[in-house]
Amino acid sequence: MITIPENSALILVDVQDSKVQVPLYDGEYQQKRRKFYHDNVEKVTRYFRALKNIPIIHIIELHRNDLVDFGRELDGSEGIHCLEKDSYFWEPAAPAEGEYVIPKRRYSAFFGTDLEILLRGLGVKHLFICGGMTDICVHYTAVDAHQYNYHVHVLKEACGTHSPEEVAQAALDSIEYLQTGSVISVNDLSYK
Amino acid sequence: MIIPENSALIVVDLQDGDGCDGIPIMKGSKTYENAPKIIKFFRDRQLPVIQIREMHRADMSDFGRELDGVEGVHCLEGTRNVEFNPLTAPAKTDYTIGKRRYSAFLGTDLDLLLQCKGIKTLFLIGGLTDVCVRFTAVDAHQHDYHFYVVTDCVTGSSWKAHEYALKNMKYLQRESNITALDILEGEVQ
């Protein structure tokens, strides 16, 4: 069981949907993984909302429709993704009133955003992180959080990716290398 | 391979030490066999060599969260562990940058230096593959640089972590995994 320190925030990384079909999630296997991850994101969001005093921050990856801000993001495995005209928050965990929204252009939620300004303003020291993709945006956001001196807590079942299971596990291992005990289970959340 | 003329070699944390610094290292890496040759290749062609080293203040004020994981106290100023390794030590023409975090971009003037030099392509060697090399590559990529990692000139915390980190870098940039031979038989254009 884990107690949520008072100076915590919940960060949902790229829990988003698209008006265009993303073939990466095609097939029964990927759909099943996606549902499992989404169900857990919903559970986590509900849990943190019920605590009432913990800020919830929704990160969404958005790229300009003219593709100007992709940088080197199309040199690897990813195709054109998350265009502003197509992207929106996944409805069951979408931002509620009083929650914060931060769009980003890169993998890390700290890169070129006001996330750190917000966290300092809120006096946050502990970040509870969930979302996708486990091995990219969640991984690099956790790494940057760690490098900026935050304690990180990654809710493993509430993180998703279409990459192979062992790749996701390697990313979680990498976060655990940086902070022992940082990868936690949704089942560790204690219901008082 | 073609090495673009706007390239620089980034040597990550090839530091001296007494063998008891608090960082795990995989056995059998060829890094120190290949690094001197690659560094010479860049120097001979007047391409910038930028040597990065991790250093922490002796009073431990700047460790942040770095001691919350697997790594123990490491790279303290005033110890041999912050010196560059003699096998790959900087020449007068090399640039040197000290860092406090894993990524060579975080809290350093690396991006400024690269911009001033008109560098667009980075070749990465050194350690650790899965920590400082990988997170420097990720930041390079996010800063819009093309990057290559020399797979037989980087050392990981374990072979497994090393392999997955290389794969992760390949996800970001398809052609990023190269070998020392690719460079040594390469041509600058």
mmCIF file with all atom_site columns, all heavy atoms in Angstrom, chain A residues 61 63 69-81 104-108 137, chain B residues 141-142 144 171-172:
data_model
loop_
_atom_site.group_PDB
_atom_site.id
_atom_site.type_symbol
_atom_site.label_atom_id
_atom_site.label_alt_id
_atom_site.label_comp_id
_atom_site.label_asym_id
_atom_site.label_entity_id
_atom_site.label_seq_id
_atom_site.pdbx_PDB_ins_code
_atom_site.Cartn_x
_atom_site.Cartn_y
_atom_site.Cartn_z
_atom_site.occupancy
_atom_site.B_iso_or_equiv
_atom_site.pdbx_formal_charge
_atom_site.auth_seq_id
_atom_site.auth_comp_id
_atom_site.auth_asym_id
_atom_site.auth_atom_id
_atom_site.pdbx_PDB_model_num
ATOM 1   N N   . GLU A 1 61  ? -0.180 15.228 -26.461 1.00 0.00 ? 61  GLU A N   1
ATOM 2   C CA  . GLU A 1 61  ? 0.758  15.509 -27.554 1.00 0.00 ? 61  GLU A CA  1
ATOM 3   C C   . GLU A 1 61  ? -0.037 16.062 -28.726 1.00 0.00 ? 61  GLU A C   1
ATOM 4   O O   . GLU A 1 61  ? -1.025 15.471 -29.167 1.00 0.00 ? 61  GLU A O   1
ATOM 5   C CB  . GLU A 1 61  ? 1.498  14.227 -27.976 1.00 0.00 ? 61  GLU A CB  1
ATOM 6   C CG  . GLU A 1 61  ? 2.389  14.466 -29.190 1.00 0.00 ? 61  GLU A CG  1
ATOM 7   C CD  . GLU A 1 61  ? 3.749  13.801 -29.103 1.00 0.00 ? 61  GLU A CD  1
ATOM 8   O OE1 . GLU A 1 61  ? 4.218  13.524 -27.975 1.00 0.00 ? 61  GLU A OE1 1
ATOM 9   O OE2 . GLU A 1 61  ? 4.345  13.562 -30.157 1.00 0.00 ? 61  GLU A OE2 1
ATOM 10  N N   . HIS A 1 63  ? 0.605  18.098 -32.579 1.00 0.00 ? 63  HIS A N   1
ATOM 11  C CA  . HIS A 1 63  ? 1.497  18.689 -33.581 1.00 0.00 ? 63  HIS A CA  1
ATOM 12  C C   . HIS A 1 63  ? 0.687  19.576 -34.512 1.00 0.00 ? 63  HIS A C   1
ATOM 13  O O   . HIS A 1 63  ? -0.464 19.277 -34.832 1.00 0.00 ? 63  HIS A O   1
ATOM 14  C CB  . HIS A 1 63  ? 2.217  17.592 -34.368 1.00 0.00 ? 63  HIS A CB  1
ATOM 15  C CG  . HIS A 1 63  ? 3.254  16.868 -33.556 1.00 0.00 ? 63  HIS A CG  1
ATOM 16  N ND1 . HIS A 1 63  ? 4.445  17.443 -33.189 1.00 0.00 ? 63  HIS A ND1 1
ATOM 17  C CD2 . HIS A 1 63  ? 3.259  15.624 -33.002 1.00 0.00 ? 63  HIS A CD2 1
ATOM 18  C CE1 . HIS A 1 63  ? 5.152  16.589 -32.460 1.00 0.00 ? 63  HIS A CE1 1
ATOM 19  N NE2 . HIS A 1 63  ? 4.445  15.480 -32.324 1.00 0.00 ? 63  HIS A NE2 1
ATOM 20  N N   . ASP A 1 69  ? 6.371  21.364 -36.577 1.00 0.00 ? 69  ASP A N   1
ATOM 21  C CA  . ASP A 1 69  ? 7.038  21.180 -35.285 1.00 0.00 ? 69  ASP A CA  1
ATOM 22  C C   . ASP A 1 69  ? 7.420  19.728 -34.984 1.00 0.00 ? 69  ASP A C   1
ATOM 23  O O   . ASP A 1 69  ? 7.681  19.376 -33.845 1.00 0.00 ? 69  ASP A O   1
ATOM 24  C CB  . ASP A 1 69  ? 6.166  21.749 -34.153 1.00 0.00 ? 69  ASP A CB  1
ATOM 25  C CG  . ASP A 1 69  ? 4.789  21.116 -34.130 1.00 0.00 ? 69  ASP A CG  1
ATOM 26  O OD1 . ASP A 1 69  ? 4.640  19.978 -34.636 1.00 0.00 ? 69  ASP A OD1 1
ATOM 27  O OD2 . ASP A 1 69  ? 3.848  21.742 -33.627 1.00 0.00 ? 69  ASP A OD2 1
ATOM 28  N N   . PHE A 1 70  ? 7.479  18.893 -36.020 1.00 0.00 ? 70  PHE A N   1
ATOM 29  C CA  . PHE A 1 70  ? 7.805  17.482 -35.774 1.00 0.00 ? 70  PHE A CA  1
ATOM 30  C C   . PHE A 1 70  ? 9.287  17.262 -35.463 1.00 0.00 ? 70  PHE A C   1
ATOM 31  O O   . PHE A 1 70  ? 9.652  16.234 -34.900 1.00 0.00 ? 70  PHE A O   1
ATOM 32  C CB  . PHE A 1 70  ? 7.395  16.589 -36.959 1.00 0.00 ? 70  PHE A CB  1
ATOM 33  C CG  . PHE A 1 70  ? 5.992  16.050 -36.817 1.00 0.00 ? 70  PHE A CG  1
ATOM 34  C CD1 . PHE A 1 70  ? 4.930  16.644 -37.475 1.00 0.00 ? 70  PHE A CD1 1
ATOM 35  C CD2 . PHE A 1 70  ? 5.745  14.946 -36.007 1.00 0.00 ? 70  PHE A CD2 1
ATOM 36  C CE1 . PHE A 1 70  ? 3.632  16.152 -37.331 1.00 0.00 ? 70  PHE A CE1 1
ATOM 37  C CE2 . PHE A 1 70  ? 4.454  14.445 -35.863 1.00 0.00 ? 70  PHE A CE2 1
ATOM 38  C CZ  . PHE A 1 70  ? 3.394  15.055 -36.525 1.00 0.00 ? 70  PHE A CZ  1
ATOM 39  N N   . GLY A 1 71  ? 10.132 18.214 -35.830 1.00 0.00 ? 71  GLY A N   1
ATOM 40  C CA  . GLY A 1 71  ? 11.565 18.028 -35.568 1.00 0.00 ? 71  GLY A CA  1
ATOM 41  C C   . GLY A 1 71  ? 12.039 16.733 -36.196 1.00 0.00 ? 71  GLY A C   1
ATOM 42  O O   . GLY A 1 71  ? 11.779 16.471 -37.367 1.00 0.00 ? 71  GLY A O   1
ATOM 43  N N   . ARG A 1 72  ? 12.690 15.905 -35.410 1.00 0.00 ? 72  ARG A N   1
ATOM 44  C CA  . ARG A 1 72  ? 13.204 14.629 -35.921 1.00 0.00 ? 72  ARG A CA  1
ATOM 45  C C   . ARG A 1 72  ? 12.247 13.459 -35.625 1.00 0.00 ? 72  ARG A C   1
ATOM 46  O O   . ARG A 1 72  ? 12.618 12.310 -35.810 1.00 0.00 ? 72  ARG A O   1
ATOM 47  C CB  . ARG A 1 72  ? 14.577 14.301 -35.320 1.00 0.00 ? 72  ARG A CB  1
ATOM 48  C CG  . ARG A 1 72  ? 15.648 15.373 -35.507 1.00 0.00 ? 72  ARG A CG  1
ATOM 49  C CD  . ARG A 1 72  ? 16.604 15.025 -36.621 1.00 0.00 ? 72  ARG A CD  1
ATOM 50  N NE  . ARG A 1 72  ? 15.947 14.964 -37.905 1.00 0.00 ? 72  ARG A NE  1
ATOM 51  C CZ  . ARG A 1 72  ? 15.597 16.018 -38.651 1.00 0.00 ? 72  ARG A CZ  1
ATOM 52  N NH1 . ARG A 1 72  ? 15.826 17.221 -38.260 1.00 0.00 ? 72  ARG A NH1 1
ATOM 53  N NH2 . ARG A 1 72  ? 15.015 15.839 -39.814 1.00 0.00 ? 72  ARG A NH2 1
ATOM 54  N N   . GLU A 1 73  ? 11.017 13.762 -35.172 1.00 0.00 ? 73  GLU A N   1
ATOM 55  C CA  . GLU A 1 73  ? 10.123 12.688 -34.723 1.00 0.00 ? 73  GLU A CA  1
ATOM 56  C C   . GLU A 1 73  ? 9.673  11.728 -35.816 1.00 0.00 ? 73  GLU A C   1
ATOM 57  O O   . GLU A 1 73  ? 9.101  10.689 -35.523 1.00 0.00 ? 73  GLU A O   1
ATOM 58  C CB  . GLU A 1 73  ? 8.894  13.268 -33.996 1.00 0.00 ? 73  GLU A CB  1
ATOM 59  C CG  . GLU A 1 73  ? 9.219  13.710 -32.589 1.00 0.00 ? 73  GLU A CG  1
ATOM 60  C CD  . GLU A 1 73  ? 7.998  13.814 -31.664 1.00 0.00 ? 73  GLU A CD  1
ATOM 61  O OE1 . GLU A 1 73  ? 6.900  13.377 -32.041 1.00 0.00 ? 73  GLU A OE1 1
ATOM 62  O OE2 . GLU A 1 73  ? 8.174  14.343 -30.562 1.00 0.00 ? 73  GLU A OE2 1
ATOM 63  N N   . LEU A 1 74  ? 9.911  12.087 -37.070 1.00 0.00 ? 74  LEU A N   1
ATOM 64  C CA  . LEU A 1 74  ? 9.486  11.180 -38.141 1.00 0.00 ? 74  LEU A CA  1
ATOM 65  C C   . LEU A 1 74  ? 10.659 10.376 -38.708 1.00 0.00 ? 74  LEU A C   1
ATOM 66  O O   . LEU A 1 74  ? 10.516 9.684  -39.706 1.00 0.00 ? 74  LEU A O   1
ATOM 67  C CB  . LEU A 1 74  ? 8.776  11.969 -39.241 1.00 0.00 ? 74  LEU A CB  1
ATOM 68  C CG  . LEU A 1 74  ? 7.580  12.795 -38.740 1.00 0.00 ? 74  LEU A CG  1
ATOM 69  C CD1 . LEU A 1 74  ? 6.970  13.607 -39.858 1.00 0.00 ? 74  LEU A CD1 1
ATOM 70  C CD2 . LEU A 1 74  ? 6.525  11.889 -38.093 1.00 0.00 ? 74  LEU A CD2 1
ATOM 71  N N   . ASP A 1 75  ? 11.828 10.467 -38.051 1.00 0.00 ? 75  ASP A N   1
ATOM 72  C CA  . ASP A 1 75  ? 13.019 9.734  -38.525 1.00 0.00 ? 75  ASP A CA  1
ATOM 73  C C   . ASP A 1 75  ? 13.081 8.315  -37.974 1.00 0.00 ? 75  ASP A C   1
ATOM 74  O O   . ASP A 1 75  ? 14.006 7.569  -38.275 1.00 0.00 ? 75  ASP A O   1
ATOM 75  C CB  . ASP A 1 75  ? 14.307 10.452 -38.092 1.00 0.00 ? 75  ASP A CB  1
ATOM 76  C CG  . ASP A 1 75  ? 14.474 11.793 -38.794 1.00 0.00 ? 75  ASP A CG  1
ATOM 77  O OD1 . ASP A 1 75  ? 13.590 12.157 -39.593 1.00 0.00 ? 75  ASP A OD1 1
ATOM 78  O OD2 . ASP A 1 75  ? 15.485 12.472 -38.530 1.00 0.00 ? 75  ASP A OD2 1
ATOM 79  N N   . GLY A 1 76  ? 12.138 7.962  -37.110 1.00 0.00 ? 76  GLY A N   1
ATOM 80  C CA  . GLY A 1 76  ? 12.198 6.646  -36.477 1.00 0.00 ? 76  GLY A CA  1
ATOM 81  C C   . GLY A 1 76  ? 11.010 5.795  -36.835 1.00 0.00 ? 76  GLY A C   1
ATOM 82  O O   . GLY A 1 76  ? 10.615 5.719  -38.002 1.00 0.00 ? 76  GLY A O   1
ATOM 83  N N   . SER A 1 77  ? 10.418 5.182  -35.815 1.00 0.00 ? 77  SER A N   1
ATOM 84  C CA  . SER A 1 77  ? 9.312  4.245  -36.031 1.00 0.00 ? 77  SER A CA  1
ATOM 85  C C   . SER A 1 77  ? 7.975  4.953  -36.223 1.00 0.00 ? 77  SER A C   1
ATOM 86  O O   . SER A 1 77  ? 7.051  4.380  -36.787 1.00 0.00 ? 77  SER A O   1
ATOM 87  C CB  . SER A 1 77  ? 9.185  3.305  -34.839 1.00 0.00 ? 77  SER A CB  1
ATOM 88  O OG  . SER A 1 77  ? 10.325 2.495  -34.762 1.00 0.00 ? 77  SER A OG  1
ATOM 89  N N   . GLU A 1 78  ? 7.854  6.179  -35.709 1.00 0.00 ? 78  GLU A N   1
ATOM 90  C CA  . GLU A 1 78  ? 6.541  6.834  -35.717 1.00 0.00 ? 78  GLU A CA  1
ATOM 91  C C   . GLU A 1 78  ? 6.271  7.568  -37.022 1.00 0.00 ? 78  GLU A C   1
ATOM 92  O O   . GLU A 1 78  ? 7.139  8.241  -37.557 1.00 0.00 ? 78  GLU A O   1
ATOM 93  C CB  . GLU A 1 78  ? 6.442  7.804  -34.531 1.00 0.00 ? 78  GLU A CB  1
ATOM 94  C CG  . GLU A 1 78  ? 6.493  7.066  -33.208 1.00 0.00 ? 78  GLU A CG  1
ATOM 95  C CD  . GLU A 1 78  ? 6.340  7.969  -31.984 1.00 0.00 ? 78  GLU A CD  1
ATOM 96  O OE1 . GLU A 1 78  ? 6.127  9.175  -32.136 1.00 0.00 ? 78  GLU A OE1 1
ATOM 97  O OE2 . GLU A 1 78  ? 6.447  7.428  -30.880 1.00 0.00 ? 78  GLU A OE2 1
ATOM 98  N N   . GLY A 1 79  ? 5.033  7.426  -37.485 1.00 0.00 ? 79  GLY A N   1
ATOM 99  C CA  . GLY A 1 79  ? 4.583  8.210  -38.631 1.00 0.00 ? 79  GLY A CA  1
ATOM 100 C C   . GLY A 1 79  ? 3.963  9.502  -38.124 1.00 0.00 ? 79  GLY A C   1
ATOM 101 O O   . GLY A 1 79  ? 4.038  9.819  -36.928 1.00 0.00 ? 79  GLY A O   1
ATOM 102 N N   . ILE A 1 80  ? 3.350  10.248 -39.013 1.00 0.00 ? 80  ILE A N   1
ATOM 103 C CA  . ILE A 1 80  ? 2.669  11.489 -38.614 1.00 0.00 ? 80  ILE A CA  1
ATOM 104 C C   . ILE A 1 80  ? 1.610  11.134 -37.575 1.00 0.00 ? 80  ILE A C   1
ATOM 105 O O   . ILE A 1 80  ? 0.847  10.190 -37.751 1.00 0.00 ? 80  ILE A O   1
ATOM 106 C CB  . ILE A 1 80  ? 2.041  12.159 -39.852 1.00 0.00 ? 80  ILE A CB  1
ATOM 107 C CG1 . ILE A 1 80  ? 3.166  12.685 -40.740 1.00 0.00 ? 80  ILE A CG1 1
ATOM 108 C CG2 . ILE A 1 80  ? 1.080  13.281 -39.450 1.00 0.00 ? 80  ILE A CG2 1
ATOM 109 C CD1 . ILE A 1 80  ? 2.718  13.184 -42.089 1.00 0.00 ? 80  ILE A CD1 1
ATOM 110 N N   . HIS A 1 81  ? 1.619  11.874 -36.472 1.00 0.00 ? 81  HIS A N   1
ATOM 111 C CA  . HIS A 1 81  ? 0.730  11.526 -35.365 1.00 0.00 ? 81  HIS A CA  1
ATOM 112 C C   . HIS A 1 81  ? 0.276  12.779 -34.620 1.00 0.00 ? 81  HIS A C   1
ATOM 113 O O   . HIS A 1 81  ? 0.930  13.811 -34.665 1.00 0.00 ? 81  HIS A O   1
ATOM 114 C CB  . HIS A 1 81  ? 1.429  10.563 -34.398 1.00 0.00 ? 81  HIS A CB  1
ATOM 115 C CG  . HIS A 1 81  ? 2.728  11.106 -33.864 1.00 0.00 ? 81  HIS A CG  1
ATOM 116 N ND1 . HIS A 1 81  ? 3.922  10.923 -34.515 1.00 0.00 ? 81  HIS A ND1 1
ATOM 117 C CD2 . HIS A 1 81  ? 3.017  11.852 -32.769 1.00 0.00 ? 81  HIS A CD2 1
ATOM 118 C CE1 . HIS A 1 81  ? 4.891  11.510 -33.842 1.00 0.00 ? 81  HIS A CE1 1
ATOM 119 N NE2 . HIS A 1 81  ? 4.371  12.100 -32.776 1.00 0.00 ? 81  HIS A NE2 1
ATOM 120 N N   . LYS A 1 104 ? 1.998  19.299 -25.496 1.00 0.00 ? 104 LYS A N   1
ATOM 121 C CA  . LYS A 1 104 ? 3.451  19.207 -25.736 1.00 0.00 ? 104 LYS A CA  1
ATOM 122 C C   . LYS A 1 104 ? 3.713  18.819 -27.182 1.00 0.00 ? 104 LYS A C   1
ATOM 123 O O   . LYS A 1 104 ? 2.851  18.256 -27.857 1.00 0.00 ? 104 LYS A O   1
ATOM 124 C CB  . LYS A 1 104 ? 4.091  18.193 -24.775 1.00 0.00 ? 104 LYS A CB  1
ATOM 125 C CG  . LYS A 1 104 ? 3.686  16.734 -25.000 1.00 0.00 ? 104 LYS A CG  1
ATOM 126 C CD  . LYS A 1 104 ? 4.445  15.817 -24.062 1.00 0.00 ? 104 LYS A CD  1
ATOM 127 C CE  . LYS A 1 104 ? 3.947  14.381 -24.100 1.00 0.00 ? 104 LYS A CE  1
ATOM 128 N NZ  . LYS A 1 104 ? 4.112  13.684 -25.363 1.00 0.00 ? 104 LYS A NZ  1
ATOM 129 N N   . ARG A 1 105 ? 4.943  19.117 -27.641 1.00 0.00 ? 105 ARG A N   1
ATOM 130 C CA  . ARG A 1 105 ? 5.348  18.816 -29.034 1.00 0.00 ? 105 ARG A CA  1
ATOM 131 C C   . ARG A 1 105 ? 6.371  17.696 -29.080 1.00 0.00 ? 105 ARG A C   1
ATOM 132 O O   . ARG A 1 105 ? 6.751  17.234 -30.151 1.00 0.00 ? 105 ARG A O   1
ATOM 133 C CB  . ARG A 1 105 ? 5.991  20.054 -29.677 1.00 0.00 ? 105 ARG A CB  1
ATOM 134 C CG  . ARG A 1 105 ? 5.214  21.338 -29.564 1.00 0.00 ? 105 ARG A CG  1
ATOM 135 C CD  . ARG A 1 105 ? 3.993  21.334 -30.425 1.00 0.00 ? 105 ARG A CD  1
ATOM 136 N NE  . ARG A 1 105 ? 3.329  22.639 -30.401 1.00 0.00 ? 105 ARG A NE  1
ATOM 137 C CZ  . ARG A 1 105 ? 2.103  22.830 -30.861 1.00 0.00 ? 105 ARG A CZ  1
ATOM 138 N NH1 . ARG A 1 105 ? 1.395  21.826 -31.363 1.00 0.00 ? 105 ARG A NH1 1
ATOM 139 N NH2 . ARG A 1 105 ? 1.562  24.019 -30.823 1.00 0.00 ? 105 ARG A NH2 1
ATOM 140 N N   . ARG A 1 106 ? 6.889  17.340 -27.918 1.00 0.00 ? 106 ARG A N   1
ATOM 141 C CA  . ARG A 1 106 ? 7.958  16.348 -27.865 1.00 0.00 ? 106 ARG A CA  1
ATOM 142 C C   . ARG A 1 106 ? 7.533  15.200 -26.944 1.00 0.00 ? 106 ARG A C   1
ATOM 143 O O   . ARG A 1 106 ? 6.445  15.197 -26.413 1.00 0.00 ? 106 ARG A O   1
ATOM 144 C CB  . ARG A 1 106 ? 9.255  16.991 -27.348 1.00 0.00 ? 106 ARG A CB  1
ATOM 145 C CG  . ARG A 1 106 ? 9.896  17.954 -28.352 1.00 0.00 ? 106 ARG A CG  1
ATOM 146 C CD  . ARG A 1 106 ? 10.501 17.182 -29.526 1.00 0.00 ? 106 ARG A CD  1
ATOM 147 N NE  . ARG A 1 106 ? 11.077 18.088 -30.529 1.00 0.00 ? 106 ARG A NE  1
ATOM 148 C CZ  . ARG A 1 106 ? 10.394 18.610 -31.542 1.00 0.00 ? 106 ARG A CZ  1
ATOM 149 N NH1 . ARG A 1 106 ? 9.094  18.371 -31.685 1.00 0.00 ? 106 ARG A NH1 1
ATOM 150 N NH2 . ARG A 1 106 ? 10.997 19.387 -32.424 1.00 0.00 ? 106 ARG A NH2 1
ATOM 151 N N   . TYR A 1 107 ? 8.428  14.228 -26.734 1.00 0.00 ? 107 TYR A N   1
ATOM 152 C CA  . TYR A 1 107 ? 8.075  13.083 -25.903 1.00 0.00 ? 107 TYR A CA  1
ATOM 153 C C   . TYR A 1 107 ? 7.925  13.469 -24.438 1.00 0.00 ? 107 TYR A C   1
ATOM 154 O O   . TYR A 1 107 ? 6.949  13.128 -23.777 1.00 0.00 ? 107 TYR A O   1
ATOM 155 C CB  . TYR A 1 107 ? 9.143  11.993 -26.011 1.00 0.00 ? 107 TYR A CB  1
ATOM 156 C CG  . TYR A 1 107 ? 9.526  11.661 -27.425 1.00 0.00 ? 107 TYR A CG  1
ATOM 157 C CD1 . TYR A 1 107 ? 10.802 11.913 -27.912 1.00 0.00 ? 107 TYR A CD1 1
ATOM 158 C CD2 . TYR A 1 107 ? 8.590  11.103 -28.292 1.00 0.00 ? 107 TYR A CD2 1
ATOM 159 C CE1 . TYR A 1 107 ? 11.143 11.621 -29.210 1.00 0.00 ? 107 TYR A CE1 1
ATOM 160 C CE2 . TYR A 1 107 ? 8.929  10.811 -29.596 1.00 0.00 ? 107 TYR A CE2 1
ATOM 161 C CZ  . TYR A 1 107 ? 10.209 11.073 -30.050 1.00 0.00 ? 107 TYR A CZ  1
ATOM 162 O OH  . TYR A 1 107 ? 10.541 10.787 -31.332 1.00 0.00 ? 107 TYR A OH  1
ATOM 163 N N   . SER A 1 108 ? 8.945  14.171 -23.933 1.00 0.00 ? 108 SER A N   1
ATOM 164 C CA  . SER A 1 108 ? 8.922  14.520 -22.512 1.00 0.00 ? 108 SER A CA  1
ATOM 165 C C   . SER A 1 108 ? 7.946  15.661 -22.265 1.00 0.00 ? 108 SER A C   1
ATOM 166 O O   . SER A 1 108 ? 7.951  16.668 -22.975 1.00 0.00 ? 108 SER A O   1
ATOM 167 C CB  . SER A 1 108 ? 10.323 14.950 -22.063 1.00 0.00 ? 108 SER A CB  1
ATOM 168 O OG  . SER A 1 108 ? 10.242 15.576 -20.800 1.00 0.00 ? 108 SER A OG  1
ATOM 169 N N   . CYS A 1 137 ? 7.001  8.347  -24.126 1.00 0.00 ? 137 CYS A N   1
ATOM 170 C CA  . CYS A 1 137 ? 6.640  9.592  -23.433 1.00 0.00 ? 137 CYS A CA  1
ATOM 171 C C   . CYS A 1 137 ? 6.565  9.426  -21.918 1.00 0.00 ? 137 CYS A C   1
ATOM 172 O O   . CYS A 1 137 ? 6.980  10.313 -21.175 1.00 0.00 ? 137 CYS A O   1
ATOM 173 C CB  . CYS A 1 137 ? 5.345  10.150 -23.991 1.00 0.00 ? 137 CYS A CB  1
ATOM 174 S SG  . CYS A 1 137 ? 5.534  10.646 -25.721 1.00 0.00 ? 137 CYS A SG  1
ATOM 175 N N   . HIS B 2 141 ? 17.657 14.316 -29.872 1.00 0.00 ? 141 HIS B N   1
ATOM 176 C CA  . HIS B 2 141 ? 16.560 14.066 -30.800 1.00 0.00 ? 141 HIS B CA  1
ATOM 177 C C   . HIS B 2 141 ? 15.435 15.082 -30.591 1.00 0.00 ? 141 HIS B C   1
ATOM 178 O O   . HIS B 2 141 ? 14.911 15.657 -31.541 1.00 0.00 ? 141 HIS B O   1
ATOM 179 C CB  . HIS B 2 141 ? 16.069 12.638 -30.554 1.00 0.00 ? 141 HIS B CB  1
ATOM 180 C CG  . HIS B 2 141 ? 15.026 12.167 -31.512 1.00 0.00 ? 141 HIS B CG  1
ATOM 181 N ND1 . HIS B 2 141 ? 15.336 11.685 -32.757 1.00 0.00 ? 141 HIS B ND1 1
ATOM 182 C CD2 . HIS B 2 141 ? 13.686 12.099 -31.412 1.00 0.00 ? 141 HIS B CD2 1
ATOM 183 C CE1 . HIS B 2 141 ? 14.217 11.329 -33.373 1.00 0.00 ? 141 HIS B CE1 1
ATOM 184 N NE2 . HIS B 2 141 ? 13.194 11.570 -32.579 1.00 0.00 ? 141 HIS B NE2 1
ATOM 185 N N   . GLN B 2 142 ? 15.113 15.352 -29.335 1.00 0.00 ? 142 GLN B N   1
ATOM 186 C CA  . GLN B 2 142 ? 14.045 16.316 -29.027 1.00 0.00 ? 142 GLN B CA  1
ATOM 187 C C   . GLN B 2 142 ? 14.460 17.747 -29.388 1.00 0.00 ? 142 GLN B C   1
ATOM 188 O O   . GLN B 2 142 ? 13.610 18.596 -29.626 1.00 0.00 ? 142 GLN B O   1
ATOM 189 C CB  . GLN B 2 142 ? 13.649 16.244 -27.546 1.00 0.00 ? 142 GLN B CB  1
ATOM 190 C CG  . GLN B 2 142 ? 12.977 14.912 -27.187 1.00 0.00 ? 142 GLN B CG  1
ATOM 191 C CD  . GLN B 2 142 ? 12.370 14.910 -25.795 1.00 0.00 ? 142 GLN B CD  1
ATOM 192 O OE1 . GLN B 2 142 ? 11.165 14.860 -25.636 1.00 0.00 ? 142 GLN B OE1 1
ATOM 193 N NE2 . GLN B 2 142 ? 13.189 14.957 -24.767 1.00 0.00 ? 142 GLN B NE2 1
ATOM 194 N N   . ASP B 2 144 ? 16.054 18.374 -32.048 1.00 0.00 ? 144 ASP B N   1
ATOM 195 C CA  . ASP B 2 144 ? 16.081 18.334 -33.526 1.00 0.00 ? 144 ASP B CA  1
ATOM 196 C C   . ASP B 2 144 ? 17.428 17.959 -34.146 1.00 0.00 ? 144 ASP B C   1
ATOM 197 O O   . ASP B 2 144 ? 17.632 18.139 -35.339 1.00 0.00 ? 144 ASP B O   1
ATOM 198 C CB  . ASP B 2 144 ? 15.612 19.670 -34.149 1.00 0.00 ? 144 ASP B CB  1
ATOM 199 C CG  . ASP B 2 144 ? 14.190 20.022 -33.745 1.00 0.00 ? 144 ASP B CG  1
ATOM 200 O OD1 . ASP B 2 144 ? 13.497 19.142 -33.178 1.00 0.00 ? 144 ASP B OD1 1
ATOM 201 O OD2 . ASP B 2 144 ? 13.765 21.164 -33.989 1.00 0.00 ? 144 ASP B OD2 1
ATOM 202 N N   . TYR B 2 171 ? 14.284 3.165  -32.240 1.00 0.00 ? 171 TYR B N   1
ATOM 203 C CA  . TYR B 2 171 ? 12.868 3.548  -32.367 1.00 0.00 ? 171 TYR B CA  1
ATOM 204 C C   . TYR B 2 171 ? 12.758 5.030  -32.718 1.00 0.00 ? 171 TYR B C   1
ATOM 205 O O   . TYR B 2 171 ? 11.925 5.429  -33.529 1.00 0.00 ? 171 TYR B O   1
ATOM 206 C CB  . TYR B 2 171 ? 12.135 3.252  -31.050 1.00 0.00 ? 171 TYR B CB  1
ATOM 207 C CG  . TYR B 2 171 ? 10.673 3.659  -31.065 1.00 0.00 ? 171 TYR B CG  1
ATOM 208 C CD1 . TYR B 2 171 ? 9.671  2.727  -31.353 1.00 0.00 ? 171 TYR B CD1 1
ATOM 209 C CD2 . TYR B 2 171 ? 10.282 4.977  -30.804 1.00 0.00 ? 171 TYR B CD2 1
ATOM 210 C CE1 . TYR B 2 171 ? 8.333  3.109  -31.383 1.00 0.00 ? 171 TYR B CE1 1
ATOM 211 C CE2 . TYR B 2 171 ? 8.954  5.362  -30.828 1.00 0.00 ? 171 TYR B CE2 1
ATOM 212 C CZ  . TYR B 2 171 ? 7.978  4.424  -31.122 1.00 0.00 ? 171 TYR B CZ  1
ATOM 213 O OH  . TYR B 2 171 ? 6.660  4.807  -31.159 1.00 0.00 ? 171 TYR B OH  1
ATOM 214 N N   . LEU B 2 172 ? 13.635 5.838  -32.097 1.00 0.00 ? 172 LEU B N   1
ATOM 215 C CA  . LEU B 2 172 ? 13.589 7.283  -32.318 1.00 0.00 ? 172 LEU B CA  1
ATOM 216 C C   . LEU B 2 172 ? 14.158 7.667  -33.677 1.00 0.00 ? 172 LEU B C   1
ATOM 217 O O   . LEU B 2 172 ? 13.663 8.563  -34.331 1.00 0.00 ? 172 LEU B O   1
ATOM 218 C CB  . LEU B 2 172 ? 14.381 8.021  -31.230 1.00 0.00 ? 172 LEU B CB  1
ATOM 219 C CG  . LEU B 2 172 ? 13.933 7.796  -29.796 1.00 0.00 ? 172 LEU B CG  1
ATOM 220 C CD1 . LEU B 2 172 ? 14.782 8.644  -28.861 1.00 0.00 ? 172 LEU B CD1 1
ATOM 221 C CD2 . LEU B 2 172 ? 12.462 8.139  -29.613 1.00 0.00 ? 172 LEU B CD2 1
#
